[in-house]
Amino acid sequence: MVLELTVAFFLLVGAVFALIGSIGLARLPDFYARLHGPTKATTLGVGGMLVASMIHFSAVGGWSFHELLVILFLFLTAPVSAHLMAKAALHLEKRDSDEESA
């Protein structure tokens, strides 16, 4: 019973974070705000769901490191890719504003 409640808790927390991140992606006004929603909230949402999966499958059939590796890669690549997209957008907007003033 405790295991099932723990898995349900992590699934619900993950789903709520993923929903908030998805709503932020759809509703926020500009690129930088829309970039923030999926990067932070959806990363935590998927992380919560993967933790629930790890707990469930460790109790059912033994430890699997697949979920742990996915969490590790997700938490490493999401901030880096968001940073690169933000830097590219800053660079492109800077170039556009320079062309307008010339």
Side-chain angles (χ1 to χ4, degrees):
M1 180 75 171
V2 173
L3 178 72
E4 293 166 353
L5 288 175
T6 306
V7 170
F9 171 76
F10 279 112
L11 278 176
L12 286 175
V13 167
V16 167
F17 273 115
L19 179 66
I20 290 170
S22 300
I23 291 171
L25 178 65
R27 302 273 319 225
L28 291 173
D30 64 342
F31 174 76
Y32 299 106
R34 275 185 253 138
L35 185 64
H36 183 72
T39 305
K40 305 294 184 222
T42 308
T43 302
L44 289 174
V46 173
M49 290 182 213
L50 286 170
V51 167
S53 174
M54 240 170 69
I55 293 170
H56 173 71
F57 286 112
S58 69
V60 171
W63 287 96
S64 172
F65 290 107
H66 295 108
E67 291 93 351
L68 187 62
L69 288 175
V70 171
I71 291 172
L72 176 71
F73 291 137
L74 178 72
F75 280 102
L76 287 176
T77 58
V80 171
S81 62
H83 177 73
L84 290 175
M85 286 189 283
K87 293 287 273 187
L90 279 172
H91 179 70
L92 290 175
E93 285 184 4
K94 179 107 173 120
R95 180 174 290 164
D96 289 342
S97 64
D98 288 342
E99 290 174 0
E100 291 173 6
S101 63

